[in-house]
Coordinates of all heavy atoms in Angstrom, one line a residue:
A72 N 114.7 106.1 102.0 CA 115.5 107.3 101.9 C 114.8 108.5 102.7 O 115.5 109.3 103.4 CB 115.7 107.8 100.4
F120 N 112.8 107.7 90.2 CA 114.1 107.8 90.8 C 115.0 106.5 90.8 O 115.1 105.9 91.8 CB 114.0 108.2 92.3 CG 113.3 109.6 92.7 CD1 113.1 109.9 94.0 CD2 112.8 110.4 91.6 CE1 112.5 111.1 94.2 CE2 112.2 111.6 92.0 CZ 112.0 111.9 93.3
V128 N 121.0 104.2 98.7 CA 120.0 104.6 99.7 C 120.4 103.9 101.1 O 120.2 104.5 102.1 CB 118.6 104.3 99.3 CG1 117.6 104.3 100.4 CG2 118.2 105.2 98.2
R132 N 121.3 105.5 104.7 CA 120.7 105.1 106.0 C 121.8 104.9 107.0 O 121.7 105.3 108.2 CB 119.8 103.9 105.8 CG 118.5 104.1 105.2 CD 117.6 102.8 105.2 NE 117.1 102.5 106.5 CZ 116.0 103.0 107.1 NH1 115.3 103.9 106.5 NH2 115.6 102.5 108.3
A141 N 125.7 108.6 117.4 CA 126.8 109.4 118.0 C 126.2 110.6 118.8 O 126.7 111.0 119.9 CB 127.8 109.9 116.9
Q166 N 106.6 103.0 108.0 CA 106.6 101.5 108.0 C 105.2 101.0 107.6 O 105.1 100.1 106.8 CB 106.9 100.9 109.4 CG 108.3 101.1 109.8 CD 108.7 100.7 111.2 OE1 107.8 100.4 112.0 NE2 110.0 100.6 111.6
D223 N 103.4 113.2 129.9 CA 104.7 113.7 129.4 C 105.2 112.8 128.2 O 106.1 113.1 127.6 CB 105.8 113.7 130.4 CG 105.5 114.7 131.5 OD1 104.8 115.7 131.2 OD2 105.8 114.5 132.7
D251 N 79.2 93.5 104.1 CA 79.4 94.6 103.0 C 78.0 94.7 102.3 O 77.1 93.8 102.3 CB 80.4 94.0 102.0 CG 80.3 94.8 100.7 OD1 80.4 96.0 100.8 OD2 80.3 94.2 99.7
L259 N 71.5 106.3 100.2 CA 72.2 106.0 101.4 C 73.5 106.9 101.4 O 74.2 107.0 102.4 CB 72.7 104.6 101.3 CG 71.6 103.6 101.5 CD1 72.1 102.2 101.3 CD2 70.8 103.7 102.8
S262 N 76.5 113.1 98.8 CA 76.5 113.5 97.3 C 77.9 113.2 96.8 O 78.0 112.5 95.7 CB 76.1 114.9 97.2 OG 76.3 115.3 95.9
S298 N 85.1 83.4 101.3 CA 84.4 82.4 102.2 C 85.2 82.1 103.5 O 84.7 81.7 104.5 CB 84.1 81.2 101.4 OG 85.3 80.6 100.9
A303 N 86.3 88.0 109.3 CA 87.2 89.1 109.5 C 86.6 90.4 109.2 O 85.7 90.5 108.3 CB 88.4 88.8 108.6
E312 N 82.1 105.0 101.8 CA 81.4 103.7 102.0 C 81.1 103.3 103.4 O 80.1 102.8 103.7 CB 82.5 102.6 101.4 CG 82.6 102.6 99.9 CD 83.9 102.0 99.4 OE1 85.0 102.5 99.7 OE2 83.8 100.9 98.8
Y316 N 77.5 102.6 104.5 CA 77.1 101.3 105.1 C 76.4 101.5 106.4 O 75.4 100.9 106.7 CB 78.4 100.5 105.4 CG 78.1 99.2 106.1 CD1 77.8 98.0 105.3 CD2 78.0 99.1 107.5 CE1 77.4 96.9 105.9 CE2 77.7 97.9 108.0 CZ 77.3 96.9 107.3 OH 76.9 95.7 108.0
A333 N 85.8 106.1 124.8 CA 85.6 104.7 125.0 C 87.0 104.0 125.1 O 87.1 102.9 125.8 CB 84.8 104.1 123.9
A340 N 96.1 96.4 122.9 CA 96.3 95.0 122.4 C 95.5 94.8 121.3 O 94.4 95.4 121.0 CB 96.0 94.1 123.6
N380 N 79.2 97.4 130.8 CA 77.7 97.3 130.5 C 77.0 96.8 131.8 O 77.3 95.7 132.1 CB 77.5 96.4 129.2 CG 76.1 96.4 128.9 OD1 75.3 96.9 129.6 ND2 75.9 95.9 127.7
L391 N 89.4 97.2 119.1 CA 89.4 98.7 119.3 C 90.8 99.2 118.7 O 90.9 100.2 118.0 CB 89.4 98.9 120.8 CG 89.2 100.4 121.2 CD1 87.8 100.9 120.6 CD2 89.1 100.5 122.8
R410 N 98.2 124.4 118.5 CA 99.4 125.2 118.0 C 100.4 124.2 117.3 O 100.9 123.3 118.0 CB 100.2 125.8 119.2 CG 99.4 127.1 119.6 CD 100.0 127.8 120.7 NE 101.4 127.8 120.8 CZ 102.1 127.9 121.9 NH1 101.4 128.1 123.1 NH2 103.4 127.9 121.9

Side-chain angles (χ1 to χ4, degrees):
F120 300 177
V128 167
R132 284 185 71 85
Q166 289 175 349
D223 297 330
D251 166 52
L259 299 170
S262 173
S298 55
E312 290 160 291
Y316 178 88
N380 185 348
L391 194 59
R410 283 179 31 208

